[in-house]
Amino acid sequence: MGSQIQTLAWTPLLLLLLLLGMTCSLHASLVKVNKGLKVKRGQSAYLDEGDLQFHIPRQKDACKVEVVLNEPITQRVGKLMPQVFDCHYLADEVKYVHNGCPLLKDDTVKLRLYRFTETETHMELFSLHVDIIDPDCSIIKLGPKSLEVPEFYGLSDAVDGNVVSFHYERRSSLECSIHLSCHDTHLPAHGQLVTGEPEKATKRGDEPESFIHLRQQLDNKARAMCKSEDCLKGLKLVKFTKIPCDDFLMMGLRYQHIDPPSPDIDYIAIRLDLKDTRSGSIYQSEQAWIPVAIVGAMPNQPPKPSFMSMFILEVDQFILTPMSTATLDAEDEETLKQLLVFNITKPPADGFITHLSDHTSPISSFTWLDLNDMLIGYQPPNSSHTQRRNYEVEFEVHDFFFERSLSMTVHLSVRNADTNAPRVSWNMGLSLLEGQSRPITWEQLQIVDNDNLNAVRIITVDGLQHGRLTVRGGKGFMVTVNDIRAGVVHYHHDDSDTTKDFIIFRITDGRHQTRHKFPIKILPKDDSPPFLITNMLLEVCEGQTALLRGSTLQASDMDSSDDYILYNITRPPQAGEVMKIPGPGLTGYPVSHFLQKDLSQSMLYYRHLGNEVFDDSFEVVLSDFHDPPNLSEPQVVMVHIEPVPDQPPKEVPGSTRCLMIKETEVVHITRQQLHFVDQESPDSELTYTITTPPFYSGAHSTPDAGRLFLVDSIPKFTKDSNAPVLRLFTQHAVNFMKVAYMPPIMDIGPYPQYIQFVFSVTNHLGKTVTGICFNITVIPEDNQPPQVITNALTVDEGGERRLGPEHLLLSDVDSMEDVLQVALQREPQHGALQLGGLLLKPGQAFTVHDLKSLKLQSRQLRNYGGRHGIHCHRWKQFSQFCPASEGESR
């Protein structure tokens, strides 16, 4: 019973928690996954599908993500592109590009998410965190030497390969260039880039060295303050923005310090582009900051508040009031004021700080330049009070090198206005998808009037450049406050490709009037098909293959990524084919569709099939990846084939026409050794004729220099003297390893033999290439035993006699004489053998040279002529005739 009472007591609480959970779920974030992004310093990284996901089904509602651009505290060392993209983005569509800055290890991108239903727009602000990591492999490498300026107004050493080097695969199709963009990067911040050698101060009479150094310093300062090349005295300002990489390292680029006080480190910003010369597209890009140490300078100091500012802003109730440098300002000796960034660390309790370019959205940061131009304002809350209200806003200031100031506070004082004129107390504008309509509700536009709100009329006097206004479905140019509260005032976009619209309202109560601008933001939708912006005639030689360059065929899409424009070949070419070759050395294959990025990466080719047709074309329909895809009208790509005179067969580069073989083996002749092609003839009609059979290139005693034979003509693939000689064969037979070479049947002797044969190649039209030589190196094989001939040796009893070649004759058909040795197996029974005066024992050996030089003698020899054990040893010695790249064993 007690447990039942306890359960009943908890039931209301459970219901309350359930209701709270449902309420929270209704206002839960639309962001499902936000893993952030990792990017290597100076490089770029793409958002993968799993990095950023949303609770919005693809089939249900339209969904867009917009990069917020007016927040300078974000994207400080990089940029996310494109500015607007679909929530269901494609791979390689959204990328963050890092600018090479070495000072920060992370960055933030502020994003605004839009979910468009048929009647409502839901918005959500969120941030994407970017981790910046050091690259393990990069094109630009700094060091081992660093740049240094020895003093203020000084000059650094030249930038060369010791300061920075570039590491990339050097290919003929890649063009490397360095880009300097001092205006965009504001680097170097306290110097300039020059070339040349400054004039040195000369010594006058007997003046001390310190005077020369002082005059040199004065000359350096005058040179640094100079605004033209006339007074640079030997130096020239660098004016180029693009230069080849090798020229950049050889031009003598130097850093000249011109702006003290400065931090002790400045930077030179460079961007390296590897351009594919075939397609004209950027193959790879990388950025880096080259540090320059300034000797004698102090480390970078943080900004400070300006004591000339009051840090107080007086605001009228409901009125958006601009801020100025009289309210808030900061100073920094090392950073130009226009480069200072103000970050709001504590926003006001009510109302918000905004940028007047989009005064409907709060901001969290702004630049000093916008503050100075009075583009930053405070929007007070839309609630009315009878007493003055005070708020506080806290700021910190960041300089160019990201040092931050101490916190500074601005006091906002909102006074109640004493007026009977109607005023706009709240203006959030409208956001909608291209072609949609939205009601202007009390949440977007609120109007107050002290004496008679019902008498207020809101009249359209300007704007509506890309849409129209209706009230209760009919035309409307004048509306009341009650119309807005009832939600019957609608803006209808005209579905044009526009991003902004506005309405100028005149608001009057009969006696007072004011004008007010109501902003409208239009997010693009993917409703336009891609269109060709370049479609040039493609020219290709007869029977050849030509690259489809990005400059020849290029399309664009206003609503989606150009890389993913799909070319569907609806009518293929008649005299050739469109092929995709994914990379160098890879096999190409015909395609029926391809992407724009395939063109930009030089993967698409047109291959002419070699027939006698000299004008061709194919038809494409362009589409995007929208569901369903937006299709263009059919487009025709024209191809002109340049006829070429009938050519004889040509040898394929890399074929060696060279063979190395052991004398005991037979070997196939493959395409590696013998490969000719002809555009007009298939391999089966490309005929080889042996005009001179194999012959020795040097003098030789036998005429047999081996033979070419057909593999199928012998029962086993071994040397066979009955194999018929082959005089005629095709490239097709070579391709399928039907042609082989057999060395001479008889032993070739101890030396390598160099053999050649001469042939001609003929195509099916009778075009012939004659007098082509094929080289063969036959390597001797030590497979024959030595031959020994002995003659009797007569010695007087107790006497001695020399043993010479006439008594012991050694020979070997496949060994050289100087490698033959005779080993004594058994001593003479009644005498002894001596070699060079020393007794020869069993197991010891002597050579033919010893015999010929009569170093061997017999003493007290009796009964000579018995059997003697002889051992012959040979070593293979030969020189190579073929290059080692052929792959044969040596």
Side-chain angles (χ1 to χ4, degrees):
M1 183 70 178
S3 61
Q4 291 178 352
I5 294 172
Q6 190 176 11
T7 303
L8 290 172
W10 276 98
T11 302
L13 179 59
L14 290 172
L15 289 173
L16 179 61
L17 289 173
L18 182 61
L19 288 172
L20 285 173
M22 292 176 62
T23 305
C24 292
S25 66
L26 290 174
H27 298 88
S29 171
L30 293 173
V31 182
K32 180 180 179 182
V33 175
N34 184 1
K35 293 182 179 178
L37 193 58
K38 291 185 184 295
V39 60
K40 295 178 180 179
R41 181 172 284 109
Q43 301 180 22
S44 59
Y46 286 93
L47 269 179
D48 290 332
E49 184 180 357
D51 293 336
L52 189 60
Q53 296 179 354
F54 307 97
H55 291 286
I56 303 170
R58 183 190 295 269
Q59 297 79 12
K60 187 175 181 183
D61 298 326
C63 173
K64 296 286 182 181
V65 181
E66 177 188 28
V67 180
V68 179
L69 298 181
N70 62 347
E71 289 283 4
I73 203 66
T74 65
Q75 300 195 97
R76 295 193 287 176
V77 291
K79 184 179 290 186
L80 192 74
M81 300 180 291
Q83 195 213 340
V84 179
F85 55 91
D86 197 90
C87 292
H88 307 286
Y89 51 88
L90 301 170
D92 298 345
E93 181 180 3
V94 182
K95 72 175 178 178
Y96 176 92
V97 180
H98 188 257
N99 66 9
C101 172
L103 300 175
L104 296 183
K105 293 186 177 180
D106 58 8
D107 199 3
T108 303
V109 182
K110 183 175 278 190
L111 300 170
R112 186 178 286 119
L113 173 66
Y114 295 90
R115 180 180 185 176
F116 301 99
T117 67
E118 288 298 323
T119 57
E120 293 182 308
T121 300
H122 301 277
M123 281 189 299
E124 182 179 341
L125 274 173
F126 67 99
S127 294
L128 180 75
H129 184 77
V130 181
D131 278 324
I132 301 159
I133 57 179
D134 291 324
D136 50 3
C137 182
S138 59
I139 302 174
I140 304 174
K141 293 188 184 297
L142 302 180
K145 179 184 173 183
S146 59
L147 288 181
E148 185 179 279
V149 177
E151 57 188 355
F152 287 169
Y153 303 114
L155 202 65
S156 75
D157 290 335
V159 175
D160 58 16
N162 292 318
V163 175
V164 61
S165 54
F166 310 126
H167 303 263
Y168 61 94
E169 183 184 359
R170 296 180 183 267
R171 301 200 306 257
S172 59
S173 60
L174 283 184
E175 177 186 274
C176 180
S177 60
I178 294 294
H179 298 254
L180 293 175
S181 184
C182 302
H183 182 267
D184 293 338
T185 61
H186 304 288
L187 289 174
H190 301 279
Q192 61 187 10
L193 302 180
V194 296
T195 57
E197 194 68 35
E199 297 176 4
K200 299 291 185 181
T202 57
K203 187 175 181 180
R204 301 174 183 173
D206 59 350
E207 67 177 351
E209 291 292 334
S210 59
F211 280 23
I212 300 177
H213 182 66
L214 179 60
R215 282 196 291 108
Q216 187 67 59
Q217 287 181 319
L218 293 175
D219 286 348
N220 288 345
K221 183 175 181 180
R223 195 179 288 111
M225 305 300 290
C226 178
K227 301 301 180 185
S228 67
E229 290 190 354
D230 298 337
C231 52
L232 281 177
K233 297 181 179 179
L235 299 180
K236 290 186 177 181
L237 290 174
V238 171
K239 297 179 181 179
F240 74 90
T241 57
K242 176 184 175 183
I243 189 170
C245 294
D246 293 335
D247 294 350
F248 175 78
L249 297 177
M250 301 293 292
M251 66 179 297
L253 182 76
R254 307 171 81 171
Y255 173 95
Q256 182 188 20
H257 185 252
I258 62 172
D259 185 27
S262 64
D264 55 352
I265 296 181
D266 201 359
Y267 297 90
I268 302 171
I270 63 172
R271 187 184 85 237
L272 181 146
D273 285 343
L274 291 179
K275 181 180 178 182
D276 189 331
T277 55
R278 299 169 300 172
S279 65
S281 61
I282 300 299
Y283 171 75
Q284 196 171 349
S285 187
E286 195 172 290
Q287 302 183 64
W289 287 16
I290 303 173
V292 183
I294 302 168
V295 177
M298 297 288 291
N300 187 33
Q301 300 298 308
K304 299 177 182 178
S306 174
F307 294 104
M308 299 298 292
S309 300
M310 299 180 64
F311 296 96
I312 297 174
L313 182 65
E314 288 279 340
V315 181
D316 282 335
Q317 185 174 277
F318 307 128
I319 302 301
L320 173 62
T321 305
M323 299 172 66
S324 69
T325 52
T327 300
L328 172 68
D329 203 358
E331 298 174 347
D332 189 279
E333 292 185 348
E334 302 144 330
T335 299
L336 295 174
K337 273 198 168 185
Q338 55 262 37
L339 299 179
L340 294 177
V341 173
F342 290 79
N343 185 35
I344 302 171
T345 56
K346 179 185 175 183
D350 281 320
F352 56 87
I353 306 296
T354 187
H355 195 288
L356 296 188
S357 64
D358 182 11
H359 65 267
T360 64
S361 302
I363 60 173
S364 61
S365 60
F366 52 88
T367 66
W368 180 91
L369 198 60
D370 286 342
L371 178 67
N372 186 63
D373 292 341
M374 299 185 71
L375 295 176
I376 307 302
Y378 170 65
Q379 172 65 58
N382 60 342
S383 54
S384 178
H385 292 270
T386 57
Q387 300 296 323
R388 180 184 288 267
R389 286 162 295 156
N390 296 307
Y391 304 101
E392 290 183 352
V393 189
E394 292 184 3
F395 301 87
E396 63 182 13
V397 186
H398 296 240
D399 69 9
F400 182 68
F401 292 118
F402 311 114
E403 283 288 339
R404 65 180 71 182
S405 71
L406 297 175
S407 180
M408 55 188 76
T409 303
V410 172
H411 300 274
L412 307 174
S413 181
V414 182
R415 55 178 176 246
N416 56 326
D418 186 15
T419 177
N420 291 327
R423 285 160 295 159
V424 174
S425 63
W426 198 248
N427 178 4
M428 291 293 102
L430 271 185
S431 295
L432 67 157
L433 191 64
E434 179 185 315
Q436 285 188 330
S437 65
R438 286 287 183 270
I440 300 176
T441 66
W442 194 246
E443 292 181 356
Q444 283 103 31
L445 183 64
Q446 297 181 17
I447 298 169
V448 295
D449 189 273
N450 281 345
D451 50 356
N452 190 1
L453 188 60
N454 290 329
V456 172
R457 297 293 180 266
I458 305 160
I459 304 166
T460 304
V461 294
D462 200 358
L464 292 174
Q465 296 176 344
H466 306 290
R468 58 189 176 88
L469 206 62
T470 63
V471 180
R472 295 183 178 85
K475 291 183 179 180
F477 70 94
M478 183 174 70
V479 298
T480 66
V481 172
N482 290 330
D483 292 335
I484 294 176
R485 284 184 168 174
V488 297
V489 182
H490 282 73
Y491 169 82
H492 305 263
H493 184 244
D494 62 6
D495 208 13
S496 60
D497 288 324
T498 49
T499 58
K500 289 183 179 180
D501 202 358
F502 66 92
I503 309 172
I504 302 295
F505 288 124
R506 182 164 63 88
I507 304 170
T508 178
D509 61 0
R511 290 180 297 171
H512 310 92
Q513 65 179 20
T514 183
R515 292 167 71 95
H516 201 83
K517 182 178 181 179
F518 183 78
I520 301 169
K521 177 183 286 188
I522 296 106
L523 274 294
K525 69 178 181 181
D526 195 352
D527 61 348
S528 301
F531 56 92
L532 276 178
I533 56 177
T534 305
N535 183 8
M536 299 178 65
L537 176 70
L538 177 65
E539 294 184 328
V540 57
C541 290
E542 179 186 354
Q544 299 295 314
T545 299
L547 176 70
L548 269 168
R549 302 177 184 272
S551 56
T552 301
L553 191 63
Q554 186 177 9
S556 184
D557 193 333
M558 299 180 65
D559 303 324
S560 59
S561 171
D562 287 352
D563 281 348
Y564 285 89
I565 295 174
L566 184 66
Y567 292 75
N568 300 283
I569 302 176
T570 53
R571 179 175 59 77
Q574 301 301 307
E577 58 187 0
V578 178
M579 298 181 63
K580 183 175 181 179
I581 304 177
L586 300 179
T587 304
Y589 52 91
V591 293
S592 59
H593 56 268
F594 54 90
L595 295 172
Q596 177 79 35
K597 69 176 182 178
D598 295 334
L599 285 167
S600 63
Q601 293 173 3
S602 301
M603 293 183 180
L604 265 297
Y605 294 80
Y606 171 89
R607 184 170 78 95
H608 185 243
L609 298 177
N611 44 16
E612 302 294 317
V613 177
F614 302 114
D615 285 300
D616 200 4
S617 66
F618 60 94
E619 186 179 87
V620 294
V621 171
L622 280 58
S623 65
D624 56 19
F625 274 72
H626 187 261
D627 188 18
N630 298 299
L631 303 176
S632 73
E633 294 294 322
Q635 307 289 328
V636 177
V637 181
M638 303 299 298
V639 182
H640 175 69
I641 295 94
E642 188 69 30
V644 296
D646 292 330
Q647 300 291 319
K650 291 183 179 180
E651 187 172 24
V652 173
S655 55
T656 62
R657 273 191 285 120
C658 183
L659 192 64
M660 185 180 291
I661 180 175
K662 293 180 181 180
E663 65 171 327
T664 56
E665 298 176 345
V666 293
V667 66
H668 294 98
I669 294 180
T670 68
R671 286 196 301 178
Q672 184 178 357
Q673 291 99 28
L674 191 60
H675 193 188
F676 279 73
V677 292
D678 187 86
Q679 298 293 336
E680 306 289 341
S681 303
D683 287 348
S684 59
E685 296 185 21
L686 201 60
T687 305
Y688 292 90
T689 303
I690 306 300
T691 56
T692 304
F695 62 93
Y696 290 97
S697 58
H700 202 270
S701 58
T702 62
D704 180 16
R707 72 191 73 185
L708 294 176
F709 67 97
L710 201 61
V711 173
D712 296 339
S713 66
I714 57 175
K716 290 185 178 181
F717 194 59
T718 58
K719 291 178 71 170
D720 186 345
S721 59
N722 296 320
V725 174
L726 184 64
R727 293 293 181 92
L728 203 68
F729 57 93
T730 65
Q731 181 67 53
H732 184 271
V734 174
N735 297 348
F736 286 88
M737 301 180 73
K738 297 294 185 181
V739 179
Y741 171 75
M742 180 187 302
I745 299 297
M746 301 300 293
D747 197 289
I748 65 170
Y751 298 100
Q753 296 300 323
Y754 305 115
I755 296 172
Q756 295 177 325
F757 65 84
V758 182
F759 64 92
S760 62
V761 191
T762 306
N763 65 10
H764 80 291
L765 298 175
K767 292 287 183 179
T768 302
V769 182
T770 61
I772 308 168
C773 184
F774 192 101
N775 299 306
I776 301 172
T777 301
V778 181
I779 309 303
E781 186 76 6
D782 191 356
N783 61 344
Q784 299 292 331
Q787 302 296 318
V788 182
I789 300 175
T790 60
N791 289 317
L793 176 67
T794 304
V795 184
D796 294 334
E797 182 178 354
E800 296 180 358
R801 188 167 181 185
R802 300 286 181 180
L803 184 67
E806 67 274 15
H807 306 110
L808 187 62
L809 180 62
L810 304 179
S811 64
D812 193 335
V813 295
D814 51 11
S815 294
M816 290 178 285
E817 187 179 79
D818 57 356
V819 301
L820 297 179
Q821 290 185 343
V822 180
L824 181 62
Q825 287 189 341
R826 182 173 56 83
E827 292 179 302
Q829 295 178 4
H830 305 289
L833 281 177
Q834 290 181 340
L835 178 63
L838 299 176
L839 188 63
L840 196 65
K841 296 292 185 180
Q844 293 181 330
F846 56 89
T847 66
V848 175
H849 178 70
D850 296 333
L851 285 170
K852 288 185 176 182
S853 59
L854 302 177
K855 290 183 179 181
L856 200 68
Q857 62 184 7
S858 176
R859 181 167 55 88
Q860 294 181 352
L861 186 64
R862 296 174 186 267
N863 243 356
Y864 184 76
R867 297 182 61 188
H868 296 266
I870 300 174
H871 297 276
C872 297
H873 306 278
R874 294 162 296 169
W875 291 271
K876 298 174 186 177
Q877 295 180 355
F878 58 90
S879 60
Q880 289 193 172
F881 196 73
C882 298
S885 62
E886 182 181 343
E888 302 286 349
S889 63
R890 297 180 181 175

